[in-house]
Amino acid sequence: MLARGLRGSAASVFRCVPCVSKQWTRAVCSGWRAATGLASVPLSWSLRQGSQVARRRRGALPPFMNIVDLRQISVRQVEPLLEEEARHWRDELHWDYRSALDLIKRFLEAHALCGCAAFENGSAAGYSFYVLEEQKGLIGGLYVSAKYQQAAIGRRLLDEMLYSMRAMPQLTRIEAQLMPFSGPVEEPLRDLGFRLYTRQFMLFDLQKSSPARPGASAGMRVDRWNDRFFESCAKLIYLCYTDHVDGEINDQYRSRGGALKFLKNIILLPGCGQFVPGASFVLRQPGSDELVAAVLTSEVASGVGHTTQICVLPGFQGHGLGRMLMQSSAEALRAMKFRELTLTVTSENRSAVQLYEKLGFTTIRTFTAGVWPR
């Protein structure tokens, strides 16, 4: 429920793909500005400073392990690692991550991606990267191959990256949503002062499951998505996430302007898959364009849909509207020969988790979201 050519898509691809890449989509211009070396503190400097502190805290790296600025490496050096990561996305999350990796490669080729990589005996063992948006840092990804010591290398990559980010005096907030391919990250993030949230990646089998027909809309009008709903849907999202846990994780939800950016990223740009308007619906009262509820859906792999947003105005919750929209989306996807539908949800949002479970979704992975400062 949270979710892209070099300038306009840079940070946008990376913010949605869990929906991690939810972590890229917001830093479009400012992320590119930072990635091209215009951040206040050069990464090379902060890596050196951070490394000194990190070594004092964690002990020196073994002589066969090196931590290298991403802007000093080539795509060829990390390509096997990226391909391995893409297989995890495909096999474990049913997600085609190749478009995000293509963008990562373009930034690496331009020597314009902020972050670091770990090399053991000359082979890439892991990498991490980040982008900036004004006073905010977004950890776009962390991946360590299972062939290496994931916990130790992942912690070191986080240490190096976060020391670099915190050296920037304008930075007041860091957000992270890290998929579970690199070993446990909870302890290092907690040690580094992050407030942590558990999120669930859920899957619904559209072929095996046949949910009940969508229920009544309580006299409201159901429309398929139309671009005229951008402003009213942004207002809906802002109102739905006031004082909500997901607003703590993703600060775009805290303003109408931020919610509008989020919507444009997931609908107009491909970082969270290809938007599917035929499986995206809004609920509104007759004679009004003010929305009461909405469900938005994208295709993230051939035959696999992903619910990028589902929300119901607080005063209308508890009347089955969310269930009806989810069922409508599932039925539309089934009619288009989709096989599966996925979504992500914060575990603390128990009412949402219970609804999805009743609809037939099962949790296939959990992952960690973190916000600094606490």
Side-chain angles (χ1 to χ4, degrees):
M1 295 203 325
L2 290 177
R4 294 192 195 156
L6 277 182
R7 197 174 82 100
S9 37
S12 42
V13 149
F14 312 114
R15 200 191 227 283
C16 177
V17 181
C19 198
V20 172
S21 303
K22 284 183 183 262
Q23 295 312 76
W24 288 63
T25 58
R26 300 212 325 252
V28 180
C29 296
S30 54
W32 172 246
R33 181 175 181 271
T36 49
L38 299 177
S40 298
V41 179
L43 179 63
S44 56
W45 180 89
S46 52
L47 271 178
R48 291 196 299 271
Q49 302 304 312
S51 295
Q52 294 173 7
V53 181
R55 287 190 180 99
R56 288 197 294 269
R57 294 178 60 211
R58 306 294 179 194
L61 283 173
F64 51 81
M65 175 68 70
N66 293 315
I67 302 295
V68 181
D69 187 325
L70 285 180
R71 292 177 292 185
Q72 299 174 358
I73 67 174
S74 67
V75 172
R76 181 178 298 180
Q77 289 175 281
V78 294
E79 195 152 28
L81 190 68
L82 299 179
E83 292 173 354
E84 181 182 315
E85 182 181 15
R87 289 193 293 272
H88 279 289
W89 280 89
R90 181 194 65 210
D91 297 342
E92 299 180 39
L93 300 180
H94 307 219
W95 192 294
D96 187 347
Y97 195 55
R98 289 176 297 178
S99 62
L101 290 182
D102 286 344
L103 187 58
I104 290 173
K105 291 177 183 179
R106 291 168 69 184
F107 271 80
L108 287 172
E109 288 172 349
H111 302 287
L113 187 62
C114 291
C116 48
F119 286 85
E120 184 172 315
N121 294 323
S123 297
Y127 79 104
S128 59
F129 64 88
Y130 68 91
V131 293
L132 301 180
E133 182 190 45
E134 298 176 353
Q135 286 80 40
K136 222 174 341 291
L138 307 172
I139 297 178
L142 169 69
Y143 180 75
V144 180
S145 172
K147 301 173 186 176
Y148 302 92
Q149 297 179 4
Q150 288 184 314
I153 296 173
R155 176 182 282 269
R156 177 52 58 85
L157 289 172
L158 282 172
D159 275 346
E160 300 283 6
M161 184 167 54
L162 288 166
Y163 276 118
S164 172
M165 297 173 78
R166 288 175 174 177
M168 301 174 190
Q170 81 277 19
L171 203 66
T172 61
R173 178 180 173 90
I174 301 174
E175 296 179 14
Q177 292 194 57
L178 299 175
M179 302 313 292
F181 305 142
S182 304
V185 296
E186 292 83 3
E187 183 179 345
L189 285 176
R190 190 178 293 110
D191 289 347
L192 290 163
F194 279 72
R195 182 177 179 181
L196 303 184
Y197 305 84
T198 299
R199 307 202 74 231
Q200 297 167 226
F201 195 101
M202 305 186 79
L203 172 71
F204 178 56
D205 190 329
L206 293 168
Q207 294 177 311
K208 293 183 179 179
S209 304
S210 181
R213 293 174 62 88
S217 59
M220 297 181 197
R221 179 162 179 168
V222 182
D223 292 309
R224 279 191 166 86
W225 175 263
N226 185 289
D227 285 355
R228 78 176 192 271
F229 294 126
F230 265 116
E231 292 289 345
S232 54
C233 194
K235 179 181 178 181
L236 170 69
I237 290 172
Y238 164 64
L239 293 174
C240 287
Y241 290 104
T242 300
D243 298 323
H244 190 282
V245 62
D246 287 347
E248 299 174 15
I249 298 171
N250 180 357
D251 74 343
Q252 276 191 318
Y253 290 159
R254 298 180 186 178
S255 69
R256 291 179 63 172
L260 185 59
K261 289 181 183 179
F262 166 79
L263 280 175
K264 290 182 176 180
N265 286 332
I266 63 174
I267 291 174
L268 301 179
L269 302 174
C272 202
Q274 185 66 43
F275 182 61
V276 184
S280 302
F281 300 91
V282 298
L283 268 180
R284 60 190 178 94
Q285 294 181 334
S288 173
D289 274 350
E290 293 295 311
L291 302 187
V292 170
V295 61
L296 305 176
T297 311
S298 289
E299 182 176 16
V300 295
S302 179
V304 181
H306 184 80
T307 302
T308 56
Q309 180 62 222
I310 169 71
C311 58
V312 179
L313 204 62
F316 293 84
Q317 294 174 6
H319 300 287
L321 300 181
R323 173 190 292 270
M324 184 271 292
L325 285 177
M326 288 298 297
Q327 289 174 331
S328 297
S329 180
E331 285 299 314
L333 290 171
R334 186 178 286 108
M336 290 184 276
K337 309 302 181 184
F338 278 69
R339 304 183 310 277
E340 297 170 326
L341 175 62
T342 62
L343 56 79
T344 59
V345 59
T346 306
S347 299
E348 190 176 323
N349 188 2
R350 287 304 306 160
S351 60
V353 173
Q354 291 169 1
L355 169 61
Y356 304 144
E357 289 174 342
K358 289 178 181 178
L359 287 171
F361 284 84
T362 57
T363 298
I364 58 175
R365 293 302 297 262
T366 60
F367 61 100
T368 298
V371 176
W372 175 89
R374 294 180 187 272

